[in-house]
Amino acid sequence: MSGAILLAGTGSDVGKSVITAGVCRHLKRRGVSVAPFKAQNMALNAAVTVDGGEIGRAQAAQAAACGIPPETAMNPILIKPTGERHSQVVVMGRPAFDAGARDYHRRRTALLPAVLDALNDLKGRFDAVVCEGAGSAAEINLRPHDLANMGLARAANMPVLLIADIDRGGALAALYGTLALLEPDDQALIAGFVINRFRGDPAVLEPGLEQLRELTGRPCLGVLPHLNGLDFDAEDSLALDRPLAAIAPLGSDSLAVSVVRLPRIANFTDVDALAAEPGVSVRFTDSAAEVRRADLVVLPGTKNTVGDLAWLRDNGLAEAIADRAADGGPVMGICGGYQMLGRAITDDVESRSGTVPGLSLLPVTCQFAESKTLAMHTGTAPGLGGAPAGGYSIRHGRPTVHDGRTWLRDAHGRDEGCVVGSVWGTSWHGVLEHDEARRAFLSIVAETAGREWKPGDEPFAAVRERRLDRLGDLVADHLDVNALETLLADGPPADLPIAPPGGAPAPRVWTGGEDEHHAN
């Protein structure tokens, strides 16, 4: 086997990332050397790679499904929105430029070689590359500039499977409509369909799939059932609409964690490990009332620290956080959230707002720098009994601690973070994934709340592996894996029929115009 396949979708959050991870895990278990790839990713959930770059968090999780370390070639372009019409563009793991939609599209020709070089590099080192599309494959207003869907498939001459989420309704229409809007040369690469999140009797769906095959000449290669608890490192904030699955408590009480759903929330998977503990419920919220009554509040990372800090104040959340801290209620700030908890932020880089006051719950000031800190950390948590700890940094901010006590220390002896009373902060993402440190911290939260809560004993790494194996099982049990491997080996089938109207225009030179929606 030697080749690549693209898993595209009829829209965002239809399950592309999850199914890509499942295909990767299935192939790995079959002994295939496999790597994930997403040419262009719009996400604020990022990870640091072994080669010191930055990629989408979902691609790092997909690499774990393959049993390999993440690298920048797996996500050569990462777009990190900083406002409604402005984004930081990361190319091959490093910030390259800031751009609006129109400016970014003008650069498409210059970016395509980097995408194809990264894909060809992976194809040269692995037996199979499983590519994930972005948003909808039929954003025909964006087709002239497309790097992640049919533009990539055409450039690499790879077969495409089109995925729809039937749980939302309209899946058959979405599949046919997506195909029919594509121009003939794009349609020629769509080799089949996949239905995701199906509930009920497959026999009831079968007549619709048969009609779809008659209309398009393409088979449905899998109907994947709706399964609870298929947790995955999501990249799209739409995933936050679904609460994290909770596990029954081991003790008599549970802990309620409220995560502030910032407008530009980033790296929200930092709290996944909390939900993996028995008796810990995790909810994302913009409710001041929920912030006040939770046992723990997490102020997460953000790509617009100053803007989201203003949003906290405008929506009464800053006051709610300050009140709970004054009452001894635990608060943890991570990265941008940590910066907000300090006395002042000086930002002439992201928001260009100069110096603005923070929430003044920690004796910390933060200066933003043009260069971005991208680093992996190992060490301990002296503030949590010396438990092993670590994480990673993705930030422009440089916090300075003026008082209080630090609670983390890296392997080089450098102190990190700050604690005053019940308010904790750190620049490190991923700290809560370290089992002893997480459980020690939650035990403090439980004691403060007067809860009879007991931690679990399963390592979070084992939880993640089990989740990835479950995705591999899902693919093996419900996808036509023989057809999948044939597509990887032989490429797109010949002489696929063209569904009318097949009317998307051919790629043309971008000439400007109104700002366009840029789908993830």
Side-chain angles (χ1 to χ4, degrees):
M1 181 189 304
S2 179
I5 192 167
L6 175 67
L7 305 186
T10 58
S12 293
D13 199 36
V14 299
K16 297 186 295 292
S17 297
V18 169
I19 297 173
T20 298
V23 170
C24 286
R25 176 51 61 107
H26 166 73
L27 291 173
K28 173 188 179 292
R29 295 195 304 200
R30 296 261 298 173
V32 176
S33 169
V34 58
F37 182 79
K38 186 163 184 173
Q40 173 185 288
N41 195 352
M42 180 177 282
L44 290 176
N45 215 19
V48 175
T49 64
V50 293
D51 48 348
E54 179 182 3
I55 64 172
R57 184 77 190 173
Q59 281 62 66
Q62 289 160 359
C66 298
I68 57 176
E71 54 179 288
T72 54
M74 296 170 182
N75 179 203
I77 300 176
L78 177 61
I79 302 172
K80 306 188 76 172
T82 56
E84 290 300 319
R85 297 187 177 185
H86 204 77
S87 298
Q88 181 184 73
V89 181
V90 177
V91 179
M92 291 304 294
R94 298 290 176 181
F97 56 90
D98 290 352
R102 284 177 289 181
D103 182 42
Y104 176 76
H105 291 317
R106 291 189 186 101
R107 298 174 184 256
R108 187 251 187 199
T109 302
L111 292 172
L112 182 59
V115 167
L116 294 179
D117 285 349
L119 176 59
N120 289 331
D121 174 41
L122 293 175
K123 288 172 67 176
R125 293 186 283 122
F126 294 90
D127 295 332
V129 180
V130 183
C131 305
E132 178 189 341
S136 168
E139 300 281 5
I140 56 177
N141 58 313
L142 302 178
R143 178 61 183 89
H145 330 291
D146 177 46
L147 295 171
N149 291 305
M150 302 316 298
L152 175 68
R154 283 268 289 276
N157 190 36
M158 76 172 86
V160 179
L161 292 184
L162 190 60
I163 301 167
D165 177 7
I166 200 168
D167 198 43
R168 299 180 174 192
L172 299 178
L175 289 168
Y176 183 87
T178 299
L179 176 70
L181 278 176
L182 299 175
E183 61 181 276
D185 285 348
D186 286 350
Q187 288 197 29
L189 300 175
I190 305 288
F193 305 121
V194 176
I195 298 286
N196 192 29
R197 297 182 185 135
F198 178 71
R199 304 172 190 257
D201 184 353
V204 176
L205 180 61
E206 186 57 37
L209 299 179
E210 178 59 24
Q211 291 179 60
L212 188 64
R213 187 195 64 75
E214 292 173 356
L215 287 167
T216 67
R218 292 161 174 83
C220 179
L221 297 183
V223 177
L224 279 59
H226 187 288
L227 296 178
N228 292 323
L230 283 180
D231 301 305
F232 186 72
D233 288 18
E235 62 190 13
D236 196 318
S237 61
L238 288 173
L240 304 187
D241 295 334
R242 298 186 291 272
L244 297 182
I247 303 172
L250 298 177
S252 57
D253 292 330
S254 297
L255 296 176
V257 179
S258 287
V259 184
V260 180
R261 187 169 179 171
L262 301 167
R264 295 294 168 190
I265 188 170
N267 288 75
F268 45 82
T269 50
D270 278 334
V271 298
D272 283 2
L274 296 178
E277 286 291 335
V280 179
S281 65
V282 178
R283 294 182 60 86
F284 292 85
T285 184
D286 57 7
S287 164
E290 288 191 24
V291 164
R292 291 179 189 275
R293 65 174 175 259
D295 297 312
L296 168 66
V297 166
V298 177
L299 198 53
T302 168
K303 194 64 183 74
N304 191 335
T305 304
V306 171
D308 282 359
L309 177 57
W311 177 85
L312 286 179
R313 291 187 163 113
D314 291 343
N315 288 276
L317 289 158
E319 181 181 2
I321 292 169
D323 286 347
R324 68 171 287 117
D327 292 338
V331 177
M332 174 175 278
I334 302 173
C335 197
Y338 173 38
Q339 296 162 12
M340 293 181 192
L341 293 172
R343 293 170 178 166
I345 300 167
T346 300
D347 178 14
D348 297 315
V349 179
E350 286 186 350
S351 68
R352 298 177 175 84
S353 299
T355 300
V356 299
L359 300 178
S360 294
L361 299 179
L362 289 176
V364 174
T365 56
C366 183
Q367 176 80 46
F368 274 58
E370 287 287 347
S371 61
K372 181 181 283 190
T373 298
L374 295 169
M376 302 291 293
H377 309 287
T378 59
T380 60
L384 295 172
Y392 60 97
S393 292
I394 303 177
R395 54 189 166 85
H396 286 281
R398 306 287 198 272
T400 299
V401 178
H402 301 280
D403 202 352
R405 61 186 176 90
T406 58
W407 61 285
L408 295 165
R409 184 170 298 131
D410 73 11
H412 303 286
R414 294 175 296 219
D415 290 337
E416 158 60 26
C418 183
V419 182
V420 172
S422 62
V423 181
W424 302 63
T426 177
S427 293
W428 291 0
H429 297 287
V431 172
L432 296 173
E433 295 179 9
H434 291 74
D435 301 320
E436 291 182 39
R438 176 181 67 255
R439 289 164 183 157
F441 176 68
L442 287 174
S443 295
I444 292 172
V445 172
E447 182 179 2
T448 302
R451 309 282 190 212
E452 292 293 329
W453 173 82
K454 293 183 179 179
D457 57 8
E458 184 178 24
F460 184 58
V463 172
R464 276 195 158 148
E465 279 298 299
R466 189 175 67 252
R467 290 172 179 173
L468 292 172
D469 280 335
R470 195 175 181 208
L471 294 180
D473 293 342
L474 183 70
V475 165
D477 294 343
H478 299 283
L479 200 65
D480 187 340
V481 292
N482 291 327
L484 173 73
E485 293 183 17
T486 296
L487 290 171
L488 278 166
D490 299 340
D495 302 323
L496 288 169
I498 303 303
R508 61 189 184 278
V509 177
W510 171 246
T511 58
E514 294 298 319
D515 278 358
E516 302 162 298
H517 167 69
H518 189 86
N520 171 2

